[in-house]
Amino acid sequence: MIIYRSDMPVDEYNRMRQAVGWKVLDRAQAQTGLDNSAYLTAAWDGDKPVGMARVVSDGGYMTLVADVMVLPEYQGKGIGRQLMTNISEYFDSLSSDGRCIMVNLMATTGNEGFYRKFGFTERPNDAMGAGMVRWINE
């Protein structure tokens, strides 16, 4: 049975990053990132984390959904959908007083349709230019 918690040990985080084909981060740097997350939701199968997603925020209006990942052997079981539902509920609680929140996300190639189901709009479009990224010491 999958349960959802708000913790992710740094070594498990890096193992999950590696399992989905992402760069393994310096342990201290990764821990700082996890510690400074505005919100973190993680899927656990017993004592094994199998998925996670987190939110980074300036505390005002600007937010970023980051690190949405599910171990390959657990993909297709609704875990990613539940992680994004948890994040959507977090944003609903923040905006319940009517404040404006801009939620940014950089989808991995081929997963844009998944995020559309949660109200995300692809860029560029008529109102917004292309999203961009710059890596330092990649």
Side-chain angles (χ1 to χ4, degrees):
M1 179 174 78
I2 303 297
I3 61 167
Y4 294 84
R5 302 178 1 191
S6 61
D7 62 309
M8 176 58 64
V10 68
D11 293 329
E12 295 295 333
Y13 170 69
N14 262 331
R15 271 192 276 282
M16 196 174 304
R17 288 182 62 88
Q18 185 174 32
V20 299
W22 296 354
K23 181 180 177 78
V24 172
L25 302 173
D26 171 81
R27 192 176 192 281
Q29 181 183 21
Q31 186 65 61
T32 299
L34 292 171
D35 291 345
N36 287 303
S37 299
Y39 177 79
L40 187 148
T41 180
W44 289 73
D45 185 1
D47 62 354
K48 177 183 179 181
V50 298
M52 72 160 285
R54 65 190 186 107
V55 174
V56 179
S57 174
D58 67 3
Y61 84 98
M62 185 65 64
T63 63
L64 171 72
V65 176
D67 295 335
V68 180
M69 55 185 160
V70 176
L71 290 178
E73 63 268 27
Y74 284 84
Q75 292 175 7
K77 300 178 185 298
I79 294 170
R81 181 175 52 248
Q82 186 60 53
L83 292 169
M84 287 302 297
T85 297
N86 294 351
I87 282 179
S88 294
E89 290 172 356
Y90 168 74
F91 286 127
D92 289 346
S93 73
L94 290 181
S95 63
S96 63
D97 62 1
R99 74 174 112 166
C100 175
I101 299 172
M102 181 178 189
V103 182
N104 294 284
L105 179 142
M106 290 185 284
T108 51
T109 303
N111 289 316
E112 298 85 356
F114 172 76
Y115 295 108
R116 265 189 241 111
K117 296 174 189 173
F118 295 94
F120 287 89
T121 303
E122 291 176 62
R123 297 178 71 166
N125 57 46
D126 291 340
M128 297 177 282
M132 300 175 77
V133 64
R134 177 181 173 208
W135 285 95
I136 309 293
N137 294 328
E138 181 176 19

